[in-house]
Amino acid sequence: MVPPSLAHTRFGHGMALKSMTGFGRADGRLATPSGVGALVWVWEVRSVNGRGLDVRLRVPPGYDALEPKVRATVGKACVRGSVNITLSVKREGGADVVRLNAAVLDEVLKISEAVRARVGGAAASVDALLATRGVLEFGDGMQTEALSEADAAQILASLEVALGGLVKSRSEEGARLDAVLGDNLREIERLVAIVNASPARLPAAIEQRLREQISRLTGADVGAFDAGRLHQEAVLLATKVDVEEELQRLRAHVSAARDMLGSGEAIGRKLDFLTQEFNREANTLCSKSNDGEITRAGLALKTVIDQMREQVQNIE
């Protein structure tokens, strides 16, 4: 078992990018006085995406006192994610039994009749009543005992083992995400370079296209128009379609993303915001484009950024 004092080290904060998806499991056994079956238990911990840290715990009757310490321990292991934790406990050699909780059944019947009196309908069926949570209790045939501090400490220590497995699986998935995001950033850089090198951005190319458009629309020889006025219009058009600022921001966003990926911190929220900024620049670039090559590169940028954002949703 791993001592609680080593939890921060075991859970590996600040070491690598982590996913919010993972699984961990640990079991334990506690010997009891002669003649009584040993206490055995299993922790199962699963986590999926979540906006914050949402811990959902299921423990057998009599183990509710563990909840505050369980939540505190999970908080050391996870920053974000929806974490579902289940503790199963039984006695070795004990016969499994099902008990009726009469008090809960009476309350359910009372509420059912009150609702039926107000809105009508058939009475609750036996199947529906038995399916109501808490009406049936499942156990090992033994009376619930008070959990000693020493026993609770051993059970919680094995929870740390399960959480260690969860963190390991989240880190392994995080390494895969890190590689995918690295590929996304390199592709963004490649597309930015294509736009940057496009000859269509040059004022001379814009002026030539303007001459061709005027000639096509008017049917007149472009030489009949004032060359100075044509040049002035071309410069104004070049200013409107210039995407240098968007390219600079995209490069800056790539640099910021790499810094985040190398920080070893929980960066999911920050990266999500940054992908929105990536998308904003790609949209502006496409709206300014007056050339097919630049438009194609801009649309490809949007595709890569969307793929990147999908991956970011799973980062802690």
Side-chain angles (χ1 to χ4, degrees):
M1 298 300 180
V2 178
S5 60
L6 299 181
H8 187 82
T9 302
R10 154 174 274 284
F11 299 142
H13 288 298
M15 294 178 63
L17 189 71
K18 293 186 180 68
S19 164
M20 285 189 282
T21 302
F23 173 78
R25 185 182 188 278
D27 53 27
R29 181 177 184 277
L30 186 63
T32 54
S34 177
V36 180
L39 189 70
V40 293
W41 65 86
V42 176
W43 287 103
E44 287 193 351
V45 187
R46 293 177 172 81
S47 69
V48 294
N49 299 3
R51 293 184 62 86
L53 179 59
D54 178 22
V55 180
R56 301 181 183 183
L57 176 64
R58 293 183 63 184
V59 297
Y63 290 80
D64 298 323
L66 294 176
E67 182 170 352
K69 291 183 179 180
V70 169
R71 293 185 179 278
T73 304
V74 175
K76 297 175 185 176
C78 305
V79 177
R80 293 177 65 205
S82 179
V83 183
N84 289 276
I85 303 176
T86 302
L87 172 64
S88 303
V89 182
K90 66 181 300 182
R91 291 285 184 189
E92 287 184 338
D96 291 335
V97 298
V98 181
R99 302 186 187 91
L100 173 67
N101 189 323
V104 173
L105 177 60
D106 289 342
E107 285 298 315
V108 172
L109 286 170
K110 185 187 301 181
I111 293 171
S112 175
E113 288 302 314
V115 171
R116 195 159 72 93
R118 294 186 63 178
V119 301
S125 68
V126 172
D127 289 345
L129 290 170
L130 293 178
T132 303
R133 185 175 179 180
V135 170
L136 293 181
E137 295 179 348
F138 300 87
D140 56 10
M142 299 186 68
Q143 295 296 319
T144 299
E145 305 167 8
L147 195 63
S148 71
E149 290 187 11
D151 292 351
Q154 290 200 48
I155 294 174
L156 289 169
S158 66
L159 170 63
E160 291 192 6
V161 175
L163 287 171
L166 174 75
V167 170
K168 183 175 182 291
S169 66
R170 283 164 63 118
S171 295
E172 289 170 350
E173 175 66 10
R176 186 194 69 79
L177 291 175
D178 194 19
V180 171
L181 293 176
D183 290 341
N184 291 152
L185 293 174
R186 283 188 287 275
E187 179 64 7
I188 290 172
E189 283 183 318
R190 188 185 73 83
L191 293 168
V192 166
I194 289 174
V195 175
N196 186 63
S198 174
R201 297 180 60 216
L202 300 174
I206 293 173
E207 184 172 344
Q208 180 59 33
R209 285 200 300 273
L210 183 59
R211 288 174 179 275
E212 293 170 355
Q213 288 173 351
I214 291 175
S215 179
R216 185 179 71 255
L217 292 172
T218 64
D221 183 358
V222 73
F225 292 91
D226 186 306
R229 179 63 184 277
L230 274 174
H231 179 72
Q232 184 180 20
E233 291 297 327
V235 170
L236 288 173
L237 183 58
T239 301
K240 290 180 180 179
V241 300
D242 181 55
V243 293
E244 182 59 32
E245 288 188 10
E246 286 71 29
L247 296 179
Q248 289 180 2
R249 291 193 189 100
L250 284 168
R251 294 189 195 102
H253 294 340
V254 168
S255 178
R258 286 202 172 111
D259 287 344
M260 289 181 191
L261 290 173
S263 70
E265 299 175 355
I267 57 170
R269 290 181 184 275
K270 293 180 181 178
L271 269 181
D272 186 38
F273 174 76
L274 189 60
T275 56
Q276 295 178 48
E277 295 301 305
F278 268 113
N279 197 53
R280 193 191 318 277
E281 301 305 331
N283 283 335
T284 305
L285 187 149
C286 288
S287 67
K288 285 186 174 182
S289 174
N290 65 341
D291 175 76
E293 182 184 35
I294 293 177
T295 298
R296 284 191 294 275
L299 293 174
L301 267 173
K302 287 173 60 66
T303 299
V304 176
I305 292 165
D306 283 344
Q307 293 171 350
M308 183 177 175
R309 192 170 186 184
E310 286 180 8
Q311 300 296 329
V312 167
Q313 300 308 307
N314 198 34
I315 293 177
E316 185 178 51

